[in-house]
């Protein structure tokens, strides 16, 4: 239960951080984050992959790896929520004077989301295996 609570706090905290960064970008405020990202080639795209991949990982873990079935495919609810947020945020940039919609940024966001889904899949498989092992050992102890 403690891990679950910490994962929820981490997801909400990181989401708050992303909202703060978006707010600074929307108001064209200078930031050490923007300067750092601009200091290396494709820094903006790498930043998008990292930010939204991390957010997807944190939200998916916080939601207990919950999935939806869409056309015979299981999709993490956390990934769907982050994808919806990213899509709305990227489209909204078209209506903000000092921002520009950038398909490259959107693609980088999607790459981050997909990479996080792959990592979540591996983490969830490991978690499920450990739960099965604990269950088997608990049954063995009860039979002794």
């Amino acid at each position: 239960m403690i891990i679950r609570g910490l994962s929820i706090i981490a997801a909400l905290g990181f989401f708050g951080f992303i909202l703060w960064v978006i707010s600074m970008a929307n108001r064209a405020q200078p930031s050490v984050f923007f300067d750092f990202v601009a200091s290396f080639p494709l820094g903006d795209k790498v930043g998008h992959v990292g930010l939204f991949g991390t957010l997807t990982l944190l939200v998916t873990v916080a939601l207990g790896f919950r999935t939806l079935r869409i056309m015979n495919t299981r999709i993490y609810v956390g990934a769907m929520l982050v994808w919806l947020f990213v899509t709305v945020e990227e489209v909204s940039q078209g209506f903000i004077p000092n921002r520009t919609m950038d398909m490259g940024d959107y693609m980088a966001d999607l790459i981050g989301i997909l990479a996080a889904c792959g990592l979540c899949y591996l983490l969830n498989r490991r978690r499920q295996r450990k739960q099965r092992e604990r269950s088997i050992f608990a049954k063995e102890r009860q039979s002794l």
Side-chain angles (χ1 to χ4, degrees):
M1 223 43 209
I2 291 173
I3 302 251
R4 170 107 176 163
L6 290 174
S7 68
I8 291 169
I9 290 169
L12 289 173
F14 197 73
F15 183 62
F17 169 73
I18 288 176
L19 290 176
W20 176 62
V21 170
I22 290 170
S23 170
M24 286 190 305
N26 287 347
R27 292 179 284 154
Q29 288 183 316
S31 165
V32 67
F33 300 113
F34 301 145
D35 294 341
F36 174 71
V37 163
S39 70
F40 57 95
L42 297 176
D44 179 45
K45 304 309 179 237
V46 172
H48 278 263
V49 170
L51 283 173
F52 292 105
T54 301
L55 182 62
T56 300
L57 175 68
L58 292 173
V59 172
T60 301
V61 171
L63 293 174
F65 299 95
R66 195 166 294 129
T67 60
L68 294 170
R69 183 177 294 274
I70 299 175
M71 295 172 41
N72 271 347
T73 303
R74 290 208 166 273
I75 300 173
Y76 290 111
V77 173
M80 288 294 297
L81 292 172
V82 173
W83 172 75
L84 286 170
F85 171 72
V86 160
T87 301
V88 168
E89 199 282 322
E90 198 61 46
V91 169
S92 74
Q93 290 180 24
F95 302 101
I96 300 170
N98 54 346
R99 301 288 307 270
T100 56
M101 281 193 331
D102 182 351
M103 199 56 166
D105 286 351
Y106 187 65
M107 295 307 292
D109 297 339
L110 295 179
I111 289 168
I113 291 168
L114 290 172
C117 286
L119 183 56
C120 286
Y121 174 78
L122 295 174
L123 289 172
N124 192 36
R125 260 187 35 190
R126 182 171 187 237
R127 180 182 69 98
Q128 289 172 338
R129 187 177 67 241
K130 286 190 177 263
Q131 284 176 341
R132 280 192 302 272
E133 289 171 0
R134 273 188 246 131
S135 172
I136 290 169
F137 291 133
K139 287 177 185 175
E140 286 178 2
R141 276 184 259 149
Q142 287 175 353
S143 66
L144 294 176

